[in-house]
Every structure is written in C-alpha cells, then in structure tokens.
Amino acid sequence: MSTEFIKDSQKNFTAALLVLSVFVFESATNLFLPSLPSIQHFFHVSAEYVQHTLSAYLLGFAFLGILSGPISDAIGRRPVMTFGLSLFLLGSFFSYVFATESLNMLILSRFFQGLGAGVATVLVFATMKDMFDNIKCARMMSLMGIVIATAPMISPLIGSSIAEMRNWLTLFSIMLASAILVFSIYACFGKETLHQKKPLNLKIIFKNYGSVIRHPPAMAYIFISMLLYGALFAWIIHAPFFFREVFHLSAFEYALFAACGPIFYMTGAFANYLMLPRVGISGMIIVGLFTASTGAAVLFFLNFIEAPSLGQYLGAFLTFNAGLAPVFSNTGTMAVSLSGDKRGSASALLATFEQAFAACTTYLVSLGSAYSILPASLIILASMVTASGLYFYVRKIFKETEI
C-alpha cells in the first residue's frame, strides 16, 4: 500500500468526520422546527418567544467562532475542534434536561449548543483548505453540501414523525445522543491537519483579522455568503408558522414540503461539482447568483397576487435553493484561499458573519405576522440584490475572482 494512498485515505476520513460533525450541527437547527408551534402551546408563550430557541443557537454560533479560527492557526485544528465538540455536548445535555422544565433555560442551553457548533464549524473550510487545492476544495465543499443538505431534508421529517409518535422531548434526547457520538469518534480518530504552528498571543489574533479585513475581495466573498445565509434562515424560521397557519398543514405535511428545498440544494451542489472544472469558480458563482435571484424575485412578487398556491411558493423557493449551493461552496473557498496562511481567521469571519446575520434576520421576521410571508421574502430579495451587486462590483474593481 503506497504512502500516497494512505495520505489520501487519511484526508478523506478527516473530511468525512467534518461532514458528520456539521450534519449533526445542522440537525440541531432543523430537527424540531416542525414542533415549534407545539412547544409554543406547551409553554403558553408567543411564537416570537419560542423562535428564540433558534435565534439563541445562531447567536451562540457567532459568539465564540470569532476566536476559534485564529487560535487554530496557532495551536492547531484538533484541540480547538475538540473544545467545540465538548461545548456542543454540554449544551445538548442541558437542552435535554430543561426541554420541558423552563423555556428560558432551554434558550440558554441552546445558546451553549450554538457556542460549541460555532467553534467547530469555523474550522471546516480551514481544515479542507489545509488538505486540498482550490478546485478540489470547492468540489469537496460541494460534496459536503450534498451530504449536509440531507439534514434539513430528513431531520424535520424524522423530528415530526417522532414528535407525533412520542413527544418533542424525544427530539432533544436524539440531539444528545448525536453529540455523544460525534465527540467520541473525533476524540478517538480526529487528526491534526495544520503542521506549521505559530506562537499565540492577542496581538497576532488582531493582526490576522486585520490582514483579512483589509483584503477587499476576501471580505466581499464573506459578505456575499453572509447575505445568502441570513436570507435562507429568514425563510426557515418563518415558513413553519406561515404554511401551517395559512395552508393548514400538519407538522408532518410541512416537513415533507420543507424537504423539497434541500433536494434542490443538492441538485445545485452536484451541478457545481460537475461543472467546476469547465466553468470555473467565477462562472459558477454567477450561475448561482442568477438562479437564486430569480427564485427570490418570484417569491417576493407572489405577495402581490391574489391567493397564490402552495405550488407557486414551492417553485420559487426551490429555484432559490438550487442557486445557493454554487454560491456557498465557491465564495467560502475563495474567501479562505485569498487569505493565505490566515485561513482559520478567514473561516472564523465567514462563519461568524453568517450566523450573526442569520440571528438578525430570524429575529426580524419573528416580529411580523404569521399570516404573511412578506417580511421573509423582502429580506431574501434585498439580500440577493445586494450580494449580486457586491460580487459584480468587486469583480470589476479587483481581478482576483478566479484562482
């Protein structure tokens, strides 16, 4: 067995561990979404209040991730990843303990879950770039996107089925079991991918971030990904209430409806994987932005026609989802690549900005009526227009869009 084969096998196994970890983090976001109205009735609170269980997770995700990137650039990826998985495990345990006892404590526990998920997820792009070149990294991120997209597709279906057969408390026990599994596997088999470590001090952390922030193309890619991520979550948090109230869907029926989005995301990710060698990173970003913008525009204008059907909403959102995959895979790769040896810092900014903006958009749509999708569709359209304009402006001014 050749040394090269062994190295490739180790890289692929590490990539698989990253996929498994992020799959669990995504499931923690989506597993109980169809049960949010049930949790609302259990605690006798407003829809806005119970939506904080998601906003708190996203806010926690953004909070510590900003430090984990530059720290991992210095001391290595593995110890930081282990710390993040430990926090996620702790938050999952307390989420289970307080799920039916106190909504405030559940929200706080979800915040700690998000802290751990944020620390670990920040390292995904950096670790992938440690192991692979740009095109291979972008293609691997597409494959990862295909696998990860199954989380929002199947986890609401699993969550709604279990909630109907048993109760929604069981969903938090599943999260806890998943956290234990991921932590155990990584603790035993996780490998270090950073082999040139540096001294760690506060000055270097600020210097690394300053270097990334002063790089306009890298920051443009980060902002584009941030805008699309926030737009996606504006839909995710508001859609269960809107469709269950307006179209009178059961939790399981909504889960079936919601599962269509990730299927189209996976289609976009697979197309990106196949077309990247021929079209290039720049071309696939343009394809993704055009497709997602088309879906966003249709979704917005549906607010102004009389009695749009469920199928019309679904078609617009599926188009939006298909366009997201090429944008996420390629903007993330470019942001990290343009940052040189500051990969951890760039990855931290990317993940932190995404989650922070998603926390903002989920809060904003929670202020609107459950009977109108206008707030979410307005955020989606505004985000797409801004992201597209930013990309073409930076592409015109700077010539670093293709590497």
Side-chain angles (χ1 to χ4, degrees):
M1 188 178 295
S2 68
T3 304
E4 192 65 29
F5 178 81
I6 294 174
K7 287 182 179 179
D8 287 343
S9 298
Q10 290 174 341
K11 290 179 181 179
N12 291 333
F13 182 76
T14 300
L17 276 177
L18 295 175
V19 171
L20 177 62
S21 300
V22 180
F23 179 87
V24 170
F25 301 149
E26 291 292 328
S27 296
T29 303
N30 296 281
L31 188 66
F32 70 103
L33 282 179
S35 297
L36 283 178
S38 301
I39 299 174
Q40 174 193 354
H41 295 314
F42 179 85
F43 284 106
H44 304 290
V45 296
S46 67
E48 176 188 349
Y49 197 6
V50 78
Q51 284 172 339
H52 292 335
T53 56
L54 179 60
S55 297
Y57 182 85
L58 296 172
L59 185 62
F61 197 110
F63 192 75
L64 268 186
I66 198 70
L67 293 178
S68 61
I71 290 175
S72 76
D73 281 338
I75 68 174
R77 314 294 185 210
R78 192 177 190 279
V80 181
M81 183 75 171
T82 303
F83 173 71
L85 291 174
S86 301
L87 274 180
F88 182 78
L89 177 57
L90 184 66
S92 300
F93 172 75
F94 284 110
S95 293
Y96 173 74
V97 169
F98 292 114
T100 58
E101 299 297 323
S102 166
L103 185 56
N104 287 333
M105 291 303 297
L106 174 58
I107 291 171
L108 181 61
S109 300
R110 290 278 294 167
F111 176 75
F112 275 95
Q113 251 189 327
L115 286 178
V119 168
T121 303
V122 156
L123 304 183
V124 170
F125 272 110
T127 303
M128 286 290 191
K129 196 63 189 69
D130 287 342
M131 299 186 293
F132 306 115
D133 62 30
N134 286 343
I135 294 294
K136 182 69 178 293
C137 179
R139 298 187 82 196
M140 289 298 294
M141 293 308 298
S142 294
L143 291 178
M144 178 179 282
I146 292 172
V147 175
I148 292 171
T150 60
M153 180 177 67
I154 68 173
S155 56
L157 289 171
I158 294 172
S160 60
S161 300
I162 292 174
E164 288 184 3
M165 288 188 298
R166 297 174 63 86
N167 58 66
W168 49 266
L169 176 61
T170 309
L171 305 179
F172 290 94
S173 66
I174 292 174
M175 288 186 208
L176 177 58
S178 300
I180 293 171
L181 175 66
V182 171
F183 177 83
S184 301
I185 294 176
Y186 191 83
C188 294
F189 303 108
K191 299 294 183 183
E192 181 59 70
T193 61
L194 183 71
H195 303 296
Q196 294 182 345
K197 301 178 183 179
K198 311 167 189 174
L200 175 65
N201 59 57
L202 195 60
K203 183 179 179 181
I204 290 179
I205 290 177
F206 282 112
K207 183 179 178 181
N208 287 356
Y209 276 127
S211 177
V212 177
I213 291 170
R214 288 192 300 272
H215 197 301
M219 289 304 299
Y221 287 119
I222 289 173
F223 278 121
I224 290 167
S225 190
M226 174 198 80
L227 288 164
L228 269 62
Y229 197 81
L232 176 62
F233 270 87
W235 173 274
I236 286 174
I237 191 63
H238 196 64
F241 295 94
F242 174 74
F243 288 103
R244 291 190 64 180
E245 292 288 346
V246 174
F247 292 98
H248 309 292
L249 303 179
S250 69
F252 185 73
E253 287 171 335
Y254 174 73
L256 288 173
F257 171 81
C260 296
I263 292 174
F264 271 69
Y265 183 93
M266 287 188 285
T267 302
F270 187 63
N272 185 62
Y273 179 82
L274 293 178
M275 295 170 65
L276 258 175
R278 298 191 302 273
V279 178
I281 288 176
S282 226
M284 289 310 299
I285 291 175
I286 293 172
V287 169
L289 287 173
F290 176 79
T291 305
S293 296
T294 301
V298 174
L299 188 63
F300 177 74
F301 285 111
L302 285 176
N303 290 278
F304 305 101
I305 67 173
E306 186 177 351
S309 68
L310 185 63
Q312 288 173 315
Y313 280 115
L314 182 60
F317 184 63
L318 295 184
T319 304
F320 173 68
N321 261 264
L324 292 180
V327 182
F328 282 142
S329 298
N330 293 300
T331 54
T333 297
M334 291 300 292
V336 174
S337 296
L338 291 172
S339 303
D341 62 352
K342 314 299 189 302
R343 291 187 293 269
S345 300
S347 186
L349 285 175
L350 174 67
T352 301
F353 279 34
E354 284 179 344
Q355 298 298 327
F357 189 60
C360 292
T361 58
T362 55
Y363 174 74
L364 288 174
V365 296
S366 73
L367 302 177
S369 168
Y371 293 93
S372 173
I373 204 69
L374 180 59
S377 59
L378 181 59
I379 288 174
I380 291 171
L381 182 60
S383 297
M384 287 308 310
V385 170
T386 306
S388 299
L390 179 60
Y391 175 72
F392 285 107
Y393 173 77
V394 171
R395 188 172 180 229
K396 180 180 179 181
I397 301 300
F398 302 95
K399 305 300 181 182
E400 298 180 86
T401 55
E402 190 71 70
I403 292 184

